[in-house]
Amino acid sequence: MLRSTESIARPLETTLSSNDLPMLLVVLIWGANFSVIKVALADIPPLAFVALRFAIAGTVLGFILWRREGTLLPPRRSWLRLILLGVIGNTLYQVLFVLSLAYTTAANSSLLIAATPALVALFGAAFGIERLTRAIAGGVVLAIAGVALVVVARGVELSSATFLGDMLALVAALCWAFYTLGVRTLSGGMSPLAITTLTTIIGLPGLLLVGGTELVQVAWGEIGLVSWSGIAYSSLLAIVLAYLLWNTSVRNVGSNRTAIFGCAIPLVATLVAWPVLGEQPVLLQGIGALLIVGGVLLTRRS
């Protein structure tokens, strides 16, 4: 009787559980964020936009953390690691990502950023943070193949003209992989809310320094309601909520099982860009979507 029960339960492990539902929300938020940012950047320079959204997010997160936990100070032994995560996962990642879009195509940048799950799995195994199982490896390969189809269908340009931007996007992906693995290894009983808040606040000074000149030059009175809505969406949902859900998932189910959802972001970005930006998807992207979903489900066997 026990054997039959286990045989029934095992296939069910490939289905999405309540732990994965928040990550699906993250995928939807970050996927739509590409179109939101593209619309908002019509009124606001990119570095000023990044600095402003993190300033808003850091303020909101700091207030929530203070009300929930009564302090903004982490355990003393966690300071150095938090500083590294804040600078690498927020300051460097955001600047590199924005600059990569200036020197390469959006398709190239999306493909390289979407390689993050593979980097997380490989580095996590290399440093002994998480074991790379056959199911995780197979799921990552399948999902990355799906991402490649989605992005290739939109058009990928490989040339010397895009080389600098491609390298910036690749380094950005390495930064986010480092951040994800770093969150996984944080000790001291810190809550996901504290980790999200402190790394956001720590990353903010660098972003203000880089985007300060553009912030001063913005004609704030001429910014329309649509762009202000984009700032609110990109700050409160794409950072405050999505970062908190991401870090919670990393702490609860691991970096590999969390990072794999990043493969679905280009798919959602493509679907949202269809009605918002008029970028119509093609059949090849649908096939890629099936591979992405299959890869995510395969990791559930881990």
Side-chain angles (χ1 to χ4, degrees), residues 172-196:
L174 288 170
C175 288
W176 189 252
F178 181 92
Y179 174 83
T180 300
L181 291 169
V183 170
R184 176 64 167 167
T185 60
L186 271 175
S187 58
M190 294 181 62
S191 68
L193 174 60
I195 295 171
T196 304

Side-chain angles (χ1 to χ4, degrees), residues 41-256:
L41 290 183
D43 292 335
I44 309 171
L47 293 178
F49 181 84
V50 171
L52 178 60
R53 65 194 286 250
F54 266 82
I56 295 173
T59 302
V60 173
L61 284 167
F63 176 77
I64 295 174
L65 179 61
W66 178 264
R67 292 297 301 269
R68 290 281 300 273
E69 301 186 11
T71 181
L72 296 178
L73 297 177
R76 184 174 300 178
R77 63 180 178 274
S78 300
W79 263 114
L80 179 59
R81 186 164 295 184
L82 282 170
I83 291 173
L84 287 174
L85 293 180
V87 172
I88 293 175
N90 288 324
T91 307
L92 290 180
Y93 172 77
Q94 293 292 335
V95 171
L96 289 168
F97 174 68
V98 170
L99 291 180
S100 74
L101 291 176
Y103 292 102
T104 189
T105 64
N108 285 24
S109 182
S110 298
L111 180 58
L112 291 164
I113 295 296
T116 302
L119 296 174
V120 169
L122 292 175
F123 286 125
F127 291 107
I129 298 173
E130 285 193 17
R131 188 167 59 92
L132 182 59
T133 65
R134 191 171 301 175
I136 291 289
V140 168
V141 170
L142 196 62
I144 291 294
V147 170
L149 286 180
V150 170
V151 178
V152 167
R154 291 162 54 188
V156 175
E157 300 176 11
L158 298 176
S159 67
S160 58
T162 64
F163 179 78
L164 175 58
D166 294 339
M167 292 300 99
L168 290 174
L170 180 58
V171 177
L174 288 170
C175 288
W176 189 252
F178 181 92
Y179 174 83
T180 300
L181 291 169
V183 170
R184 176 64 167 167
T185 60
L186 271 175
S187 58
M190 294 181 62
S191 68
L193 174 60
I195 295 171
T196 304
T197 301
L198 295 173
T199 54
T200 299
I201 293 175
I202 289 169
L204 178 58
L207 294 174
L208 290 175
L209 180 64
V210 173
T213 302
E214 291 186 356
L215 279 171
V216 174
Q217 295 173 348
V218 173
W220 296 106
E222 299 177 5
I223 297 177
L225 179 61
V226 172
S227 294
W228 279 116
S229 300
I231 293 173
Y233 178 98
S234 195
S235 303
L236 302 179
L237 294 182
I239 297 181
V240 174
L241 179 58
Y243 270 51
L244 180 57
L245 294 177
W246 178 278
N247 290 339
T248 301
S249 178
V250 170
R251 299 287 277 182
N252 289 343
V253 302
S255 51
N256 289 336

